[in-house]
Amino acid sequence: MKTLFFLFTLISCQIIQAQVTANEPSPLTACDTDNNGYAFFNLTMADAEIIGSQTDVQVSYHEELADATAGIFAIGSVESYANTIPYEQVIYARVESLNNGDFATTAVMLLVLHLPYTTAPDPIVLIDSDGDGVEVFDLTIRE
């Protein structure tokens, strides 16, 4: 009877454990400061979306899906990752249970955005009418 109870308890515990999931996050974006298609990304910014409300899990990032599936060749510098494909690149996140080794993977899109184009406004010139070095400027005249 004790053996049957132990076996039932063991099977019940395995059924109760929830399956690990990896939610697909919103794309991570970074500005391209020199217009070459490359930028640095803090991959950990996607952790909360990927994990959701799960606990006792860890996230690793990989350049290839096969590496994420095998749990090998994780990206080392996750807080300062430079994309290797210009402008748009897909990398993969692996969420792994710290309790039993179950895992799930998801794609993470990295987008490099061009800096906005700006033009310098014409200068606003006023004459200091009373010579005190102070004048009131209406900056809205250049909108």
Side-chain angles (χ1 to χ4, degrees):
M1 186 65 151
K2 287 182 183 180
T3 306
L4 185 58
F5 177 73
F6 177 72
L7 182 60
F8 176 74
T9 304
L10 184 61
I11 292 170
S12 297
C13 288
Q14 289 179 347
I15 293 171
I16 292 173
Q17 288 181 340
Q19 185 177 4
V20 174
T21 58
N23 303 307
E24 187 171 338
S26 304
L28 294 176
T29 59
C31 287
D32 185 355
T33 57
D34 56 6
N35 293 319
N36 67 354
Y38 297 95
F40 288 95
F41 293 86
N42 182 350
L43 303 180
T44 63
M45 298 299 288
D47 285 359
E49 277 187 90
I50 293 169
I51 294 171
S53 61
Q54 298 174 97
T55 58
D56 297 327
V57 294
Q58 66 182 6
V59 179
S60 59
Y61 294 91
H62 307 261
E63 290 182 338
E64 301 292 332
L65 178 57
D67 294 343
T69 301
I72 58 175
F73 304 121
I75 294 170
S77 54
V78 294
E79 292 181 358
S80 184
Y81 174 73
N83 60 308
T84 58
I85 299 172
Y87 300 106
E88 290 186 13
Q89 180 176 349
V90 176
I91 61 170
Y92 300 91
R94 173 188 172 104
V95 179
E96 185 171 348
S97 170
L98 297 174
N99 297 325
N100 60 18
D102 285 348
F103 72 93
T105 60
T106 189
V108 179
M109 175 64 78
L110 306 179
L111 298 175
V112 179
L113 305 174
H114 290 287
L115 287 176
Y117 294 103
T118 61
T119 57
D122 294 330
I124 301 173
V125 179
L126 290 177
I127 298 174
D128 185 4
S129 58
D130 58 5
D132 65 353
V134 177
E135 282 297 323
V136 176
F137 287 81
D138 178 7
L139 302 179
T140 62
I141 64 172
R142 294 288 189 250
E143 289 182 345

